[in-house]
Amino acid sequence: MGKIIAIANQKGGVGKTTTAINLAASLALSGENILLIDIDPQGNTTSGLGISRDDLDKTLYNVLAGRYPIKDAVLKTVVEYLEIVPSNIDLLGAEIELVGRDRREYILSEVLSEVASNYRYILIDCPPSLGILTLNALVAAESVIVPVQCEYYALEGLSLLTRTLRLVRGAFNPTLDIEGIILTMYDTRNSLSHQVVSEIRKHFGDKVYQTMIPRNVSLGEAPSHGKPALLYDIKSRGAQSYLSLAKEILSEDSIR
């Protein structure tokens, strides 16, 4: 049974999609099947892997609406062993259509149960908000990876998310836990970055990954080429940091 991990933070601009694409691609190098779920109507995870959002017939929206089984919407990507259920702006319709459905919070969970055994990891890239789509992701997931930008409001955003996770645990998914916190956009020259790292490690201890993701040009450029950083420039600090994060996650899972 694949491990389902949501990549979430209610604060935007923290590196959720960058983390989803590059962590999934790095995990796929282990030679085991990885599935990415793009549950953000912006569809940036989809386009960041070279898939045109405008040319899609079968997307996550169609799956959540009950029009197709999820296996029909799965696409191969430019990375071997990495597949994706793509999304585009049509997914905005799900926010409205799911409201009237029975057990609307569990729809994604029920859909993923059809394919979970085919993958080692299923990563869900969430929107930067707590709507019905993010709630579906948190109900479906076993745990959450939280990207946190090394900036002034980082702890405030983390505090909001931990409150959200408590609410989801209480109402829908009692075993939901933080898989780990990944510090992003780290700048060694910036004293604020060092302060943020120190504060978050003090508050969250071993939940914070040792790997930190630096500010890196290649991470910013790779999506415009429809590639993860490891295919765009594997020697870049950004690509190497996500490879290191994947190794850290695989190592921790083998110990558990």
Side-chain angles (χ1 to χ4, degrees), residues 147-198:
V148 178
Q149 186 177 354
C150 293
E151 59 148 39
Y152 182 72
Y153 292 109
L155 279 172
E156 186 177 286
L158 261 177
S159 176
L160 180 61
L161 183 67
T162 52
R163 285 201 299 272
T164 297
L165 296 183
R166 281 199 298 271
L167 291 171
V168 173
R169 276 195 294 268
F172 305 107
N173 186 355
T175 59
L176 182 67
D177 195 11
I178 293 178
E179 179 78 16
I181 296 167
I182 177 66
L183 296 161
T184 65
M185 305 179 200
Y186 178 67
D187 187 346
T188 56
R189 302 164 298 178
N190 187 328
S191 61
L192 179 59
S193 282
H194 294 287
Q195 292 170 24
V196 170
V197 169
S198 177

Side-chain angles (χ1 to χ4, degrees), residues 98-119:
L98 295 183
V99 169
R101 296 265 296 272
D102 290 338
R103 290 175 55 82
R104 59 185 178 271
E105 301 87 1
Y106 297 90
I107 293 170
L108 181 63
S109 178
E110 292 165 359
V111 161
L112 290 181
S113 68
E114 300 170 19
V115 295
S117 61
N118 299 335
Y119 300 94

Side-chain angles (χ1 to χ4, degrees), residues 36 60 82 88 145 147 167 215 247:
L36 252 179
L60 183 62
L82 175 60
N88 56 24
I145 287 177
L167 291 171
R215 287 192 178 276
K247 289 176 185 174

